[in-house]
Amino acid sequence: MTGAILTARGLVKEFRGFRAVDGVDLDVAEGSVHALVGPNGAGKTTLFNLLTGFLPPTAGTIALAGRELTGRRPEQVARAGLARSFQITSLFPEQTVRRHLELALAGPTGLGWRFWRSDKALAAFSARADELLDQVGLLEFADRPAGTLAYGRKRALELALALSLDPKVLLLDEPTAGMGAEDVDRTVELIRRVRAGRTVVMVEHNMSVVSSLADRVTVLQSGRVLVEGPYAQIRHDPRVITAYLGDADAHR
Amino acid sequence: MIIRLLARRPVAAGIGLIAALALPWLIYPPVAMDIMAWALLAVAVDLLLGYGGLLSFGHAAFWGTSAYTTGLIALHTGLPFPVAIVGGALAAAALAVPIGYLSVRLSGIYFAMVTLAFAQMIYFIVNQWRDVTGGENGLQGVPRELLGADLSDPFYFYYAGLPFVLLGLWAAWRIVRSPFGQVLVSIRDNPSRARALGYPVDRYRLLAFVLSAALAGLGGGVFAISHGFASLHDVYWTTSGQAVMMVILGGIGTLWGAVLGAAVIVTLNDYLATAGFEETGIVTGAIFVLIVLLFRKGLWGTGRDLLTAARARRARPAESGEDRKVEVATERPAAVAERSGG
């Protein structure tokens, strides 16, 4: 494992006096899968939104591969190589599945600005789009409007969209949230397949998903880092058990 | 069969073109020109509202700015009127850059309010700047110069002005069905997602705003030349409101609907005015409310839905016909068996 590709120092986010994220340091090693876990309200999603530029931090810095990203807008963060999926499935309901990927792929080329050209020009990206769709098992649904897909498939499309940006770091916000056991297994398999050579940061509630995918785990509680380390190590940490894993074990 | 043929795009465009060419034979030519100019304004509003999800309540600023600029160019330079109209449209687009820059960050009712506020500012300026705009008297005696051709007859001027309108309508169609249009619709449906894909949402909205203003300006320029004057009414908020009304009446996000809405409202206004009825607002308002209540998707949108439904109904008997064929097919082996048995 080489050095850290994504680093955050002293990140703070305050909402009207409430510190949702309270001085978080984060180092994500290149090529690793790094999970952010913690009980509800621990600040995972806020941290996610800070990293991707959807929220400006109150204090602290973020850097990707040594490049300062603090205060950048979401589209600039995305272009810099930090792609995200959304927790709540977030698609363009009327556009077809293939068109989603064509638009994602066309982004960096500036084709989106050409208001004088036919939208058939987007077909230039359809071959690459189909390749990505095949990777996530959605090729047969390519011509369907995204709004008509089943839930698990929408999540797969989310993943394909994030992948299409060919990101340095892939941020997945609860990739298995709301899924049945079968879909969870398929998604874990999918992430394992697409992560090759990539760095992945994921917020995840499902501990079996974390244990099977994550190299390192950061446990958050009340906006602070409680513990950080490999999964095998943190699962035995008494503080983590009281804060979080205790609950998860009770479920089993 | 006929319905299916009518629904095809080149056929629909052909019918539209024939209707546009025939219009001054059917109705009073100046009214025909009004319909066409207003159609451009309504289409401009629909481009933003239907495809960008932004309700502008201030398009009178662009329509009016272009009307005055077109008038001023035609009056003071003696250049042919097409040059004046293009100048007007460019002025409208230039004005849209700062106004759009400050408004596109907002959405929903806030966007509508801010665009209205800017339009009222433009109204104020036009009203106060008497030396140039003529204040309450407006800009009068705008000439229709075109290489010495006599265009004083509104019937002939209609055909001189029509190419601008058709060019504008074609541009709107092109924009909506371009890669840019696809991104715009995606931004309308899910701005956060578009951002996460690397699209600078506000800049896309700004370009849509400027393009829309240019189209509105094209309409305003044609209107000013057609009437031979520019008046304060062109920059007044009722003009913005009427354009929004046309779009809703015809059907948001359809473009053709905006044209239809413009035709209905301009014709209605003209009919009521020639009948000597003063309070046209009451009648058009009542019809507007009725149509919105009866046809949620506007005239064009509802018509399109009915067409789709009719097509689906036609497809169903065809299916049952196939079922019958299947029945016949299953009967046949029995008949064969009988025959071989006999």
Side-chain angles (χ1 to χ4, degrees), chain B:
Chain B
M1 192 59 190
I2 291 166
I3 292 174
R4 209 172 304 166
L5 191 70
L6 286 178
R8 277 214 208 120
R9 193 169 292 141
V11 177
I15 292 169
L17 185 64
I18 291 167
L21 289 171
L23 207 54
W25 262 292
L26 305 173
I27 58 177
Y28 186 48
V31 176
M33 193 79 268
D34 275 8
I35 289 176
M36 286 305 179
W38 277 96
L40 255 186
L41 178 61
V43 161
V45 170
D46 192 28
L47 179 65
L48 266 188
L49 177 59
Y51 300 88
L54 297 167
L55 170 60
S56 165
F57 220 87
H59 259 47
F62 310 118
W63 164 273
T65 296
S66 173
Y68 275 93
T69 310
T70 302
L72 288 168
I73 294 174
L75 261 176
H76 298 304
T77 67
L79 284 166
F81 83 85
V83 179
I85 290 177
V86 169
L90 289 177
L95 178 69
V97 174
I99 293 182
Y101 182 79
L102 295 169
S103 339
V104 294
R105 280 141 219 278
L106 307 166
S107 57
I109 192 73
Y110 300 102
F111 179 81
M113 298 303 283
V114 168
T115 47
L116 172 63
F118 277 118
Q120 287 301 93
M121 274 171 57
I122 300 298
Y123 173 81
F124 180 81
I125 293 168
V126 171
N127 192 13
Q128 292 296 311
W129 203 4
R130 284 202 180 85
D131 301 343
V132 175
T133 64
E136 280 168 12
N137 298 322
L139 211 59
Q140 301 196 5
V142 174
R144 277 180 203 168
E145 168 59 34
L146 184 66
L147 314 169
D150 179 22
L151 292 172
S152 54
D153 186 337
F155 182 83
Y156 293 115
F157 176 72
Y158 177 86
Y159 291 101
L162 187 63
F164 288 93
V165 177
L166 295 180
L167 183 77
L169 294 179
W170 176 82
W173 176 84
R174 176 75 288 164
I175 291 165
V176 165
R177 280 165 189 80
S178 72
F180 175 75
Q182 291 288 310
V183 175
L184 199 61
V185 167
S186 305
I187 288 172
R188 176 197 69 190
D189 290 343
N190 197 337
S192 293
R193 209 344 145 195
R195 274 196 187 100
L197 291 181
Y199 284 106
V201 165
D202 288 347
R203 267 189 268 164
Y204 270 83
R205 283 184 173 151
L206 178 59
L207 178 58
F209 193 78
V210 172
L211 290 171
S212 169
L215 290 177
L218 210 54
V222 171
F223 192 81
I225 297 287
S226 160
H227 285 247
F229 64 83
S231 77
L232 278 177
H233 189 257
D234 295 340
V235 277
Y236 201 48
W237 66 267
T238 52
T239 296
S240 305
Q242 184 151 294
V244 172
M245 198 156 109
M246 287 167 175
V247 173
I248 296 173
L249 195 69
I252 295 168
T254 61
L255 294 189
W256 281 110
V259 177
L260 193 63
V264 169
I265 288 186
V266 172
T267 311
L268 199 65
N269 280 344
D270 176 63
Y271 179 77
L272 291 172
T274 46
F277 193 78
E278 297 279 317
E279 301 302 322
T280 54
I282 294 176
V283 176
T284 49
I287 289 175
F288 176 69
V289 170
L290 264 179
I291 290 185
V292 169
L293 288 177
L294 291 175
F295 312 112
R296 280 283 156 77
K297 294 181 173 176
L299 293 172
W300 190 269
T302 307
R304 198 173 49 183
D305 284 2
L306 288 176
L307 208 76
T308 322
R311 227 181 288 169
R313 229 175 293 130
R314 195 157 305 192
R316 230 168 286 141
E319 271 166 33
S320 58
E322 270 178 30
D323 287 347
R324 226 173 292 134
K325 250 179 258 161
V326 172
E327 276 170 30
V328 170
T330 46
E331 274 168 22
R332 206 165 288 150
V336 171
E338 251 179 49
R339 211 176 299 148
S340 63

